[in-house]
Amino acid sequence: MSAEEARVHAAWLPPEAFRALGSRRVLVHGDGMLVDTVLDEVARACARYGGRVWHSPSWDVDADLVLALRGADELSSAAVEAARAAGEAALAKVGAGAVLGDEGFVLARAGDVTAVLADAPAGLLYGLFHLVRLGPAAFDSTRPTERHRPALRQRMLNHWDNVAVHPVMGQVERGYAGGSIFWRDGRPRGDLARVREYARLLAACGINAISVNNVNVARTEARLLTNRLGDVAEIADVLRPYGIRVHLSVTFAAPVVLGGLPTADPADEAVRAWWAATTRQVYERIPDFGGYVVKADSEGQPGPFTYGRDHADGANLLADALAPHGGVVHWRAFVYNHHQDWRDRSTDRARAAYDHFVPLDGRFRANVVLQVKFGPVDFQVREPVSPVLAAMPATRLAVEVQVTQEYTGQQRHVCHLGPWWSEVLRFAPWGPGGRTVADVAAGEGGGLVAVANVGDDLFWTGHPLAQANLYTVGRLAWDPRLDPRAVLDEWIALTFPPSAMADPELVGRTLHEIMDDSWRTYERYTAPLGVGFMVHPGDHYGPDVDGYEYTRWGTYHFADRDGVGVDRSRASGTGFAGQYPPYWSQVYESPERCPDELLLFFHHVPYGHVLHSGSTVIQHIYDTHFAGVEEVAAMRGRWRTLKGLIDPAVYERVEQRLDEQVRSATEWRDQINTYFFRKSGVPDARGRRIH
Ligand code: GCW
């Protein structure tokens, strides 16, 4: 182990988290690469904590824990067969049709034995990590039977990692955790042990797919598909034992830039043949390759529009090449005019994904997954849910969220996003009580895709508390109904194991106090009431209220001396509100019914407009910005109570970042408040200092 490896933070898999498991007598039964992974994990834990492990022994053994494949041969061990029978009985009780599938498992108690049964090796691996999460509770004699299956089939991370350092975006586009764990200066980073640790962490929270390069595909990265495929295969080999499939971002222009063809037109036979042949070679090298991720006709990336074709033509071209091998294409719906004239009030970026894609519903091949950003604009701290998610019943849809905190404090601010994603996934686009966004993502075999926040930083994510965002996104993809607070509990108990803490109760309570509401706190001190942006152009960090106001990017707030906000109503605005099914369309259309937090996303209102909260818009802006900074100061105070109680390296890193968060939040408060005071001339009702 190198000195660096020794220092890399263990995140949610410290050895201590394996204590309960590692001190037991464990029997693993079944075969397969992922069963070997289970065995390896158990063996390491047992070596450390004094337990024992057997693999399909032919003699009778006494075990405390049995992890078995249902289809594996009978064993002569009575305890094992009893455990298996208990698992089967438990399954039968859940009812017919209660299948476990490729990734599910059942956990049951048989006498003194805990049994985990699965149909496939991946199920055993997920069962193992479930046991780790449960800790000693997995061995409670009263433990009830549980059956677990992922709600979403595809639980994917997109890395926006560049192979060669990009002159503006660097090694990782929107990366806030150092370099890439895969690439450095044009080459593989060469630390596959670190990639393996990463795979473990991801499997332990339920992620089963990763794309390893940026969706903006430059020259060097394009070649990962062909003559640099070996670099991708090496990563795939390391991820495979943890049940994670590799995907690749490709450029739509690949037939031209790599194949030397004169065109990339989807209707051209030579282009189709090139994609088919190239894809065949990918599968020869990486038999379980997941597929392609494509950003086409978006922010300067090439796409089918060049040839007068639409996005269905483009996506289907790649889907046809992947279909014989079982691959999928994740085609991104993030398509809009990034050369908008700010004077042009008829164009609305929020409308773009719907306008481009909804007319194509029904035309995509079965192995196309349309990847839709959760909101209509761009990963803001508050946006309505994208109406595309309710408008394409004949298309497989994946919801895309951003774990990397581009717009939410860049891993310098604590901003725990679990509650936000949970709100999005639970949102019912057809009205309260109806199907949810999570149902949509589950139903048609789509999934959840998250832009990763990981780099080669020793804490993985820059801000140690941002690890919780990565953990949470995996867990919510596995089960979107989980309470984000409970998920945070899991993360806390794994990362700060109670058995290794002097005062676990204080640590847990303090982390909840700091993190639970931190997303809303961030919302309070940044752009108000859903209006979005107001960030410094380019790097997107810190306030710059008019930074984007007269640019081509379509992200405006339209503040003047009388009011602020974007009129997206049908009656007098861009009509975006009309893209929703009737219930929400009516709610959003009306400034009276529109939820406060989205008011300025949908309406331009006077500063004196009274919110549901009873406050005026201008007073709300002042109040939330003062409150937000106070909350951040309180977070810092709380964190300081943990000094000496947790790993000093974690303590110090977070403390430094909290100092920056206090500074930055103060800057946000003062710029936003001053801006709106100067625009409106309305003083703060409470007479606080505005500059
Ligand atoms: O949020 C924006 C980012 C771009 C990114 C783009 C996208 C990868 O500012 O850096 O490009 O979204 O999602 O494609």
Side-chain angles (χ1 to χ4, degrees), residues 274-285:
W274 186 87
W275 276 112
T278 303
T279 305
R280 198 178 317 117
Q281 282 162 15
V282 172
Y283 278 89
E284 273 162 21
R285 196 70 195 268

Side-chain angles (χ1 to χ4, degrees), residues 160 169 173-174 176 214-216 295 298-299 301 332 334 336 349 373 377-380 400 402 406-407 451 533 538-540 548 553:
W160 288 354
M169 291 299 171
E173 182 154 347
R174 312 306 180 186
Y176 311 105
N214 192 356
V215 291
N216 292 326
K295 172 175 176 178
S298 166
E299 299 185 332
Q301 294 298 304
R332 296 179 83 229
F334 183 58
Y336 69 99
R349 174 167 164 179
K373 286 192 181 182
V377 179
D378 199 5
F379 299 136
Q380 298 303 288
E400 185 180 333
Q402 201 180 38
E406 176 178 2
Y407 296 103
V451 184
F533 280 83
D539 67 6
H540 296 169
Y548 274 108
W553 295 97

Side-chain angles (χ1 to χ4, degrees), residues 75-364:
L75 286 185
S76 53
S77 160
V80 173
E81 290 312 323
R84 294 221 287 180
E88 291 300 337
L91 262 180
K93 222 169 164 184
V94 187
V99 285
L100 294 174
D102 287 349
E103 301 182 311
F105 60 92
V106 65
L107 184 148
R109 288 284 294 177
D112 294 337
V113 180
T114 294
V116 172
L117 298 190
D119 281 337
L124 274 198
L125 183 64
Y126 291 123
L128 171 80
F129 286 122
H130 184 66
L131 293 168
V132 173
R133 268 195 297 276
L134 291 174
F139 304 95
D140 279 356
S141 53
T142 54
R143 179 110 218 129
T145 300
E146 303 168 40
R147 187 187 58 131
H148 295 269
R149 257 179 353 162
L152 309 190
R153 209 164 81 187
Q154 196 87 312
R155 306 179 300 278
M156 184 184 206
L157 289 182
N158 283 176
H159 275 258
W160 288 354
D161 297 19
N162 299 315
V163 178
V165 176
H166 184 276
V168 180
M169 291 299 171
Q171 188 77 68
V172 180
E173 182 154 347
R174 312 306 180 186
Y176 311 105
S180 164
I181 59 165
F182 300 123
W183 317 106
R184 182 184 283 164
D185 288 336
R187 314 183 52 76
R189 182 166 173 273
D191 183 358
L192 291 171
R194 181 83 190 258
V195 176
R196 183 174 179 278
E197 284 309 302
Y198 187 43
R200 288 181 78 217
L201 289 170
L202 296 185
C205 68
I207 297 290
N208 66 358
I210 315 191
S211 63
V212 294
N213 64 305
N214 192 356
V215 291
N216 292 326
V217 184
R219 282 205 90 76
T220 310
E221 292 73 19
R223 292 164 53 221
L224 293 175
L225 177 62
T226 51
N227 54 347
R228 295 195 58 171
L229 185 61
D231 297 343
V232 182
E234 274 191 350
I235 297 173
D237 288 344
V238 177
L239 300 184
R240 187 172 297 116
Y242 284 92
I244 299 167
R245 290 170 84 173
V246 158
H247 297 239
L248 205 55
S249 297
V250 297
T251 169
F252 193 76
V256 178
V257 298
L258 300 172
L261 299 181
T263 177
D265 184 350
D268 186 287
E269 269 318 311
V271 169
R272 304 182 69 77
W274 186 87
W275 276 112
T278 303
T279 305
R280 198 178 317 117
Q281 282 162 15
V282 172
Y283 278 89
E284 273 162 21
R285 196 70 195 268
I286 311 173
D288 59 346
F289 180 70
Y292 300 138
V293 179
V294 191
K295 172 175 176 178
D297 289 315
S298 166
E299 299 185 332
Q301 294 298 304
F305 287 167
T306 309
Y307 309 100
R309 315 288 172 198
D310 63 29
H311 282 273
D313 301 324
N316 290 344
L317 165 71
L318 303 192
D320 289 344
L322 288 159
H325 314 283
V328 296
V329 51
H330 281 83
W331 191 268
R332 296 179 83 229
F334 183 58
V335 177
Y336 69 99
N337 174 7
H338 69 296
H339 288 287
Q340 190 176 329
D341 184 341
W342 60 267
R343 300 164 194 85
D344 163 21
R345 295 295 289 265
S346 66
T347 303
D348 178 6
R349 174 167 164 179
R351 291 189 58 114
Y354 185 105
D355 288 342
H356 280 294
F357 286 94
V358 172
L360 305 177
D361 189 33
R363 287 205 27 228
F364 292 100

Side-chain angles (χ1 to χ4, degrees), residues 462-485:
H463 201 307
L465 303 186
Q467 291 174 1
N469 280 328
L470 184 61
Y471 180 83
T472 301
V473 91
R475 294 290 290 139
L476 289 178
W478 179 280
D479 184 356
R481 290 163 314 179
L482 290 174
D483 173 356
R485 284 181 53 93

